[in-house]
Amino acid sequence: MIKNEADIIRLIKQDSWMVRVLHAAQKLDLPDWWISAGFVRSKIWDVQHGYQTRTPLPDIDVIYYDEGCTAEAKEKEYEAYLRNLFPNTPWSVKNQARMHLLNGFPPYKSSQDGIAKFPETATALGVKLDSTGNILLTAPHGAEDAINMILKPSPFYEKDPQRLIIFEQRVAKKNWRKIWPEVKMLRL
C-alpha cells in the first residue's frame, strides 16, 4: 500500500520499466521537464488495487517549459527521438509554454504551474530524474487524492463553471472506475 510521497518514489524506483522511461526522457535534456499525469497516477492506482499487471497507458506525457521555442514541430521531433530510443511507446511531448493557447487559459509560468492546472488533483503529478539520477516528484495539490483514489477537480477547474463542466466530461469519458473500481468521485 502507498501511504505518502516517499512510497510513490520508492515504487517508481523499483519499477525498472518506469526508470527506463525516465532515463529516455532525461536524454532529451529539456528545460523544466517532467513525466506527468497517468504515468504516475496509474501506477498508484494499480498498486492500490493490488494489480500485478500494469494498466496500459494511452500515452506517456513528457512535459517541459521552453518559452524560447514554442513550435509544435519541435515537440514532434522530441517524440520521434523518444520513439527511436524506446520504440512501441506512446510518447506525447508538450511544451507547457504553449499549452495555455490550446486550452484558452492564461499563460503558464512553468511546467509545475501547468501540472497544477490539470483537471483532476489525482492526475496533477509529475516525476523526473535529477542530475544525479534521483527521482523527484511534484504534486502541486499533494498526492493524497491519488493515494486515496479520490477524483475531484483541481482548484483551477473547481473555481470556474465552464472548466468544471470540462472536468466532469473528462471523468465520464475516461471511465476510470471501470479500470479501478475503488476510485471515488467526490461530488461538488
Side-chain angles (χ1 to χ4, degrees):
M1 293 295 284
I2 302 169
K3 296 180 180 163
N4 54 45
E5 292 182 13
D7 288 343
I8 295 168
I9 292 169
R10 180 183 46 78
L11 281 168
I12 293 170
K13 189 176 185 177
Q14 293 171 349
D15 186 320
S16 62
W17 177 81
M18 292 183 87
V19 171
R20 286 193 321 270
V21 167
L22 285 163
H23 279 285
Q26 186 180 41
K27 287 183 187 308
L28 289 172
D29 197 27
L30 296 170
D32 190 15
W33 73 276
W34 298 87
I35 299 181
S36 61
F39 182 76
V40 183
R41 185 212 56 238
S42 294
K43 176 68 174 179
I44 295 168
W45 287 358
D46 281 351
V47 169
Q48 297 297 64
H49 277 77
Y51 296 169
Q52 299 302 310
T53 303
R54 180 185 323 283
T55 299
L57 295 170
D59 55 22
I60 296 177
D61 296 298
V62 178
I63 66 169
Y64 68 101
Y65 191 85
D66 183 359
E67 289 179 305
C69 179
T70 57
E72 184 178 4
K74 195 66 177 167
E75 296 168 4
K76 299 303 176 197
E77 285 178 31
Y78 293 141
E79 288 173 5
Y81 177 84
L82 289 169
R83 275 193 305 277
N84 189 45
L85 266 180
F86 212 99
N88 304 316
T89 303
W91 295 103
S92 173
V93 180
K94 299 287 186 257
N95 185 352
Q96 298 301 290
R98 77 172 191 88
M99 292 311 293
H100 70 284
L101 299 170
L102 299 176
N103 298 323
F105 300 155
Y108 301 151
K109 297 175 181 83
S110 66
S111 288
Q112 289 175 304
D113 186 38
I115 291 170
K117 292 180 172 82
F118 283 4
E120 318 81 39
T121 55
T123 302
L125 303 168
V127 290
K128 70 177 179 179
L129 298 174
D130 69 12
S131 61
T132 61
N134 293 311
I135 296 172
L136 304 178
L137 172 73
T138 186
H141 309 296
E144 293 80 15
D145 289 345
I147 292 167
N148 295 315
M149 297 177 290
I150 294 171
L151 268 175
K152 70 179 187 186
S154 67
F156 184 72
Y157 273 74
E158 186 175 33
K159 68 182 178 182
D160 181 279
Q162 293 297 87
R163 289 191 292 256
L164 202 49
I165 291 168
I166 293 167
F167 161 80
E168 291 168 350
Q169 290 171 340
R170 176 177 153 83
V171 168
K173 180 182 174 190
K174 295 286 186 178
N175 200 15
W176 286 313
R177 294 208 48 210
K178 184 176 180 182
I179 301 165
W180 299 285
E182 294 179 42
V183 168
K184 300 166 276 305
M185 173 77 171
L186 286 190
R187 300 287 176 216
L188 302 175

